[in-house]
Amino acid sequence: MSITPLMPVYPRSGVRPVRGEHCHLIDEDGTRYLDFAAGIAVNILGHSHPGLIGAIQRQAETLMHVSNLYGSPQGEALAARLVDLTFADTVFFTNSGAEAVECAIKTARAYHQSAGNDDKFELITFANAFHGRTMATISASNQEKMHKGFAPLLPGFRYVEFGDLEGVKAAMGPNTAGFLIEPIQGEGGIRTGTDEFITGLRQLADENDLMLVFDEVQTGVARTGTLYAYEQYGIEPDILATAKGIGGGFPLGACLATEKAARGMTFGTHGSTYGGNPLAMAAGMAVLDAVANDEFLAEVREKGERIRTRLEQFIGNYPELFEGVRGKGLMLGLRMKVEPRPFMQHLRDSHQLLTVAAGDQTLRILPPLVIGDAEIDEFFDKLSAGAADYRHPES
Ligand SMILES: *Cc1c(COP(=O)(O)O)cnc(C)c1O
């Protein structure tokens, strides 16, 4: 047998972390890495946050899981907190981002179909989007590399260029149910939706009774300097998927919706065995306790601005490598003039700095939101050293 016990779907690197300490990961053989990948925007409180650990420990000792057949004081409390903090009136808890997007897609379809509009099932989505790896969420993306071998795709998605409002108008028709969009594309390369584009989508949705669905799985939970990125556009979505940071490392996601948008989501229409279990609720509550306040959010914005300013100065020294800085808050990207993957590997293997490669020739910088001056300085030391001794492989 040559297949590995772990299904070989990931090209895993040689870094094999066994322990985390705040903003660092420690490898099997004791090597310390500065973690500016944060589990791809998951470990927003770093790796050993006492509040998060304590909340999970206490809840694990008290009650880990019960079925959704029973009342859920823990779920009600976290849902009420999210309703308080956001546009939403109601919340469905999931265990992952893809499931949160699945619920968002079902909610958008059911909004129309529960009112008898059975032909309104199509969501307009955007080129190079990433919404997860389930059948529905790969179908929602135009990225062929995620489709290959998994045909047939789920019908009901139309792809338009990110930022192309005229293209959206042209793609709309009698089957259109709404729009599904990442306000800042993460894996697509930290591409930020402009104010004009996002408010344009809101206006089109209002004029045509369509659902504006935000995938904030990566942008959400303080990452961009507000609790959710939609706040920075001065609009509200009808439905929003959140995950990644919301559990701080515990598997948790949620689909948020207004009362109007959720009109089709009635008894028996949706469910999840684990979704919203007490252990996950404790983790989510501990994360919100830490991040959902003005001081924390202001610090994320301030640290984001500081890193961005230094990055802009830094890239001036390496015009052959870097083209520009992208993103908001602590969701940052370095647009490169060469493929970012070998540079990411060089930073990782030669300088013990973890970042994430993304589409559109962009290197993602996604530190834990709790970084301080010391981690920022260490990041620039490693990045500068990495750029100075980098030799891009001949293509
Ligand atoms: C990571 C991600 C997902 C999928 O989340 P999983 O937890 O891997 O299912 C969906 N949408 C966006 C924008 C993401 O970044």
Side-chain angles (χ1 to χ4, degrees), residues 96-99 101 130-133 182 187 215 217-218 243-244:
S96 69
E99 286 171 289
V101 178
F130 183 78
H131 297 297
R133 294 293 200 143
E182 300 158 86
E187 104 110 46
D215 179 346
V217 170
Q218 196 161 149
K244 290 204 165 97

Side-chain angles (χ1 to χ4, degrees), residues 138-161:
I138 63 172
S139 303
S141 172
N142 77 329
Q143 294 194 56
E144 306 252 312
K145 65 180 186 202
M146 298 197 292
H147 298 164
K148 206 164 168 282
F150 301 116
L153 297 181
L154 189 75
F157 299 96
R158 275 182 87 137
Y159 317 127
V160 171
E161 280 305 310

Side-chain angles (χ1 to χ4, degrees), residues 333-351:
L334 270 180
R335 180 94 201 281
M336 298 192 65
K337 289 186 179 157
V338 294
E339 274 308 307
R341 194 168 299 276
F343 184 62
M344 174 274 290
Q345 291 165 343
H346 170 72
L347 292 176
R348 180 190 71 207
D349 298 335
S350 301
H351 298 278

Side-chain angles (χ1 to χ4, degrees), residues 44-45 49 221-223 225 227 287-303 330 368-371:
I44 61 176
L45 302 180
H49 187 273
V221 203
R223 173 59 57 187
L227 191 61
V287 168
L288 290 184
D289 283 344
V291 310
N293 61 77
D294 291 342
E295 300 88 293
F296 189 92
L297 293 166
E299 274 178 36
V300 172
R301 290 193 293 275
E302 188 273 319
K303 289 184 277 197
L330 289 172
L369 305 183
V370 294
I371 47 167

Side-chain angles (χ1 to χ4, degrees), residues 82 86-88 90-92 100-101 103-104 107 180-181 183 212-217 219-221 227-231 236-243 253-258 261:
L82 286 166
T86 68
F87 75 99
T90 192
V91 179
F92 181 88
V101 178
C103 178
T107 304
L180 168 60
I181 184 163
L212 180 59
V213 185
F214 268 27
D215 179 346
E216 292 226 32
V217 170
T219 53
V221 203
L227 191 61
Y228 286 95
Y230 74 79
E231 298 165 44
E236 293 180 343
D238 302 294
I239 303 168
L240 180 150
T242 183
C255 172
L256 281 57
T258 63

